Amino acid sequence: MLTTKPSDLIENLVRRGLSPKLGYVLASVLQIIPQMLSTMDTILDAQRSRGLETEGKLIKRLKAFIPLIGPAVMNSLISTRERAMALEMRGFNSNIKKTF
């Protein structure tokens, strides 16, 4: 991951015969994980600025986790919908052979 860009790696795997759909799944996972971590940090900072206590005993941290779930799930759903629309616009399900 440190020497090769994930997009280059996936593109070369698809060129060598990997299914484009499987390639997209791998690429999206590699892109979504850092994006979700960044989103969770932003949401956590926003909730802390509103006075939510996120440190302390386990019970307190679990209670603080609940207000973080809603915005994270909503952001994930919006992102997924946008990705689906982009894939549809690019003809991802087309039966025509992909060119490079």
Side-chain angles (χ1 to χ4, degrees):
M1 302 314 318
L2 298 175
T3 59
T4 306
K5 286 195 243 178
S7 59
D8 293 341
L9 175 67
I10 300 301
E11 182 180 342
N12 284 323
L13 288 173
V14 170
R15 284 184 186 207
R16 293 185 185 266
L18 182 71
S19 166
K21 291 182 181 183
L22 184 58
Y24 173 75
V25 169
L26 291 174
S28 65
V29 166
L30 293 174
Q31 290 174 353
I32 287 175
I33 291 173
Q35 182 182 22
M36 286 296 291
L37 291 175
S38 175
T39 301
M40 285 300 291
D41 286 342
T42 303
I43 294 168
L44 186 60
D45 287 342
Q47 295 293 10
R48 282 183 184 154
S49 70
R50 292 182 179 106
L52 181 68
E53 294 184 29
T54 58
E55 297 176 5
K57 294 183 180 180
L58 181 62
I59 298 296
K60 187 178 278 190
R61 285 185 285 171
L62 287 174
K63 287 181 182 179
F65 187 68
I66 294 170
L68 301 175
I69 295 292
V73 169
M74 291 303 293
N75 188 23
S76 178
L77 291 174
I78 291 169
S79 177
T80 301
R81 184 182 63 169
E82 289 174 355
R83 284 178 183 265
M85 286 190 296
L87 287 174
E88 189 174 329
M89 292 295 291
R90 293 177 185 162
F92 189 73
N93 285 330
S94 177
N95 293 330
I96 299 172
K97 187 174 180 271
K98 184 177 179 181
T99 59
F100 294 94

